[in-house]
Amino acid sequence: MSEEQQKSALSESQSKPASGNISAESAKKIRDFRKNKFSEKELLKDLLKGNKTALGRAITLIESNQKTHQKQAEFIIEGALPHAHKSIRIGITGVPGVGKSTFIESFGSHLIDLGKKVAVLAVDPSSSVSHGSILGDKTRMENLVTKPNAFIRPSPSGESLGGVARKTRESILLCEAAGFDVILIETVGVGQSETTVHSMTDFFLLLKLAGAGDELQGIKRGIVEMADAIVINKADGENQKAARDAKLEFKRALHLYPPKESEWKADVKLCSALYNEGVSDIWEMITEFKSKVDENGYFQHNRLEQNKFWLFQTVNDYLKSRFYEDPKIKTALKEQLELIENNKTTAFAAAKHLLSLA
Ligand SMILES: Nc1nc2c(ncn2[C@@H]2O[C@H](COP(=O)(O)OP(=O)(O)OP(=O)(O)O)[C@@H](O)[C@H]2O)c(=O)[nH]1
Ligand SMILES: [Mg+2]
């Protein structure tokens, strides 16, 4: 990435106030932030007060690949950690068009009406092109976007799934430190992204449509197994009967899956995100889940297991990128690839040679 691009990582489409009337002080803060002239201590202080602009900026630092930004981000994360409020992290997945964004708009607004503070993040490794489904979909969250107690952030762009995952995990912590108590994480389910989101959330919700087979919905069996709830969306209008039938079918199918370590039995719910039907029921179910896993200790256990998993994941990612970014390896890799192309070596021998250089 060029220096210019890295600098522009600090441009903040997210945190610009909606109205043009901003105070001279805010305007100065924005200018200073763009010029990288700001104190991370101050930023942390504002973030801990629940200031969304500060939160947006801190996440921008996490997302930047520039060394100074990374140092600033580390300082802020460390300072934020002890203040992370209790939250519930909910993963939401489903094929494109199933209604994830519409659901988040409806569900998130309901939670805000209940007095919650809701943060919406996305894990979308393909977002380098589309710049994150959430941002493009902001029109689908037009109500939520305007709420003072909602914070919406698209997926970090231009990254591998590993990079997106780490940045999202750190962003979750910052959202919690800023007082957000429900964190919704949307993923469109390309490649391994559902597994990634599953491993950073407490509750995993799979959105489905009635009347389409699993193959049609592009749902892998493993995803159903991970789900704590299946929500059949678009259960409205002519779709209602099909949705009820699908509910029964899924309920039956879920019996075939092994019991979960959490002792929670995955449930199937109907919902119409567009007409705000069924969302309160879904929140009640999640509240029930939370009481159960608090009581049996699974909630805490699972978070610790996730932390351990992410420790290994981070080390693996670090080792991998350090390996591939080493100029010595880069040259040797090119040579070995040529040898393979000319049938002069085997994949195994080439790999062994490269590893011996590390
Ligand atoms: N009838 C009906 N339409 C819905 C419902 N929820 C969403 N839709 C429509 O379905 C379309 C897709 O909805 P989105 O919320 O953008 O779906 P998504 O899963 O976020 O899609 P991607 O971001 O592309 O993965 C839109 O036209 C919505 O208006 C619903 O409950 N009922
Ligand atoms: Mg969407």
Side-chain angles (χ1 to χ4, degrees):
M1 203 188 277
S2 75
E3 182 130 348
E4 203 44 42
Q5 273 173 313
Q6 287 179 350
K7 283 225 176 86
S8 71
L10 292 186
S11 65
E12 331 155 68
S13 53
Q14 279 293 291
S15 41
K16 255 187 229 154
S19 90
N21 304 324
I22 53 167
S23 67
E25 196 197 340
S26 312
K28 184 175 180 314
K29 272 195 175 177
I30 291 174
R31 277 198 310 274
D32 286 351
F33 182 69
R34 290 213 181 114
K35 286 191 230 145
N36 212 3
K37 259 180 24 198
F38 64 96
S39 125
E40 49 265 45
K41 255 191 203 148
E42 191 108 332
L43 191 60
L44 174 63
K45 220 167 74 193
D46 286 347
L47 184 149
L48 293 177
K49 277 192 233 153
N51 181 314
K52 287 203 289 182
T53 308
L55 174 60
R57 286 177 178 167
I59 293 180
T60 300
L61 293 174
I62 286 180
E63 290 174 357
S64 168
N65 290 322
Q66 221 179 354
K67 282 272 179 308
T68 42
H69 297 157
Q70 286 173 357
K71 279 233 160 65
Q72 289 164 324
E74 271 165 34
F75 171 86
I76 292 167
I77 293 165
E78 219 165 279
L81 256 182
H83 301 276
H85 289 245
K86 292 211 161 71
S87 78
I88 179 138
R89 306 167 184 168
I90 303 171
I92 295 167
T93 192
V95 295
V98 71
K100 294 178 294 297
S101 305
T102 314
F103 176 79
I104 290 172
E105 157 86 354
S106 170
F107 187 63
S109 302
H110 173 68
L111 296 179
I112 284 180
D113 289 345
L114 293 177
K116 306 273 173 209
K117 284 187 79 180
V118 180
V120 182
L121 307 172
V123 169
D124 179 6
S126 65
S127 67
S128 46
V129 184
S130 66
H131 200 70
S133 56
I134 288 193
L135 195 61
D137 268 2
K138 269 203 161 171
T139 43
R140 301 255 152 74
M141 299 186 197
E142 55 187 2
N143 182 32
L144 199 56
V145 165
T146 61
K147 306 267 183 181
N149 280 345
F151 176 82
I152 301 179
R153 183 81 181 189
S155 183
S157 54
E159 286 282 344
S160 64
L161 181 57
V164 171
R166 180 182 64 74
K167 291 172 178 185
T168 307
R169 289 246 324 152
E170 292 177 342
S171 302
I172 293 175
L173 297 175
L174 294 192
C175 289
E176 290 170 352
F180 287 87
D181 43 21
V182 182
I183 319 284
L184 304 177
I185 304 170
E186 177 186 336
T187 186
V188 73
V190 275
Q192 287 296 303
S193 69
E194 291 116 331
T195 315
T196 302
V197 169
H198 180 251
S199 57
M200 57 174 82
T201 49
D202 308 307
F203 190 93
F204 197 63
L205 200 153
L206 170 63
L207 284 182
K208 286 226 180 198
L209 296 173
D214 274 2
E215 309 74 46
L216 263 178
Q217 303 201 25
I219 298 289
K220 301 147 232 167
R221 190 192 142 93
I223 309 303
V224 175
E225 200 160 340
M226 284 192 279
D228 293 301
I230 293 178
V231 170
I232 298 157
N233 191 34
K234 308 197 188 182
D236 47 48
E238 288 176 357
N239 232 340
Q240 288 184 60
K241 186 178 175 316
R244 279 197 301 271
D245 291 348
K247 180 177 169 177
L248 285 178
E249 212 174 293
F250 277 123
K251 273 206 166 199
R252 235 176 280 137
L254 281 177
H255 279 303
L256 303 175
Y257 287 92
K260 291 181 184 296
E261 198 191 341
S262 61
E263 294 169 15
W264 171 255
K265 281 201 181 73
D267 206 354
V268 188
K269 298 277 182 199
L270 295 181
C271 165
S272 169
L274 195 58
Y275 299 105
N276 300 318
E277 282 164 21
V279 284
S280 57
D281 205 24
I282 292 166
W283 176 244
E284 271 170 37
M285 167 184 62
I286 294 176
T287 315
E288 209 181 296
F289 165 86
K290 179 74 167 59
S291 320
K292 186 177 176 82
V293 292
D294 271 342
E295 208 170 290
N296 69 16
Y298 180 79
F299 186 87
Q300 206 42 38
H301 166 78
N302 186 43
R303 284 225 174 158
L304 292 178
E305 287 303 307
Q306 289 181 343
N307 284 344
K308 290 184 206 163
F309 169 79
W310 285 104
L311 177 132
F312 285 109
Q313 199 69 17
T314 309
V315 170
N316 291 348
D317 287 349
Y318 177 78
L319 287 176
K320 201 163 124 185
S321 68
R322 202 174 64 171
F323 179 78
Y324 285 111
E325 277 161 23
D326 182 342
K328 205 168 54 202
I329 300 292
K330 276 187 182 166
T331 317
L333 180 60
K334 231 165 123 193
E335 286 163 9
Q336 293 299 315
L337 283 172
E338 255 169 49
L339 289 175
I340 285 189
E341 230 161 84
N342 296 322
N343 271 324
K344 294 218 168 97
T345 186
T346 65
F348 185 71
K352 229 175 137 187
H353 172 70
L354 289 170
L355 287 167
S356 74
L357 301 175

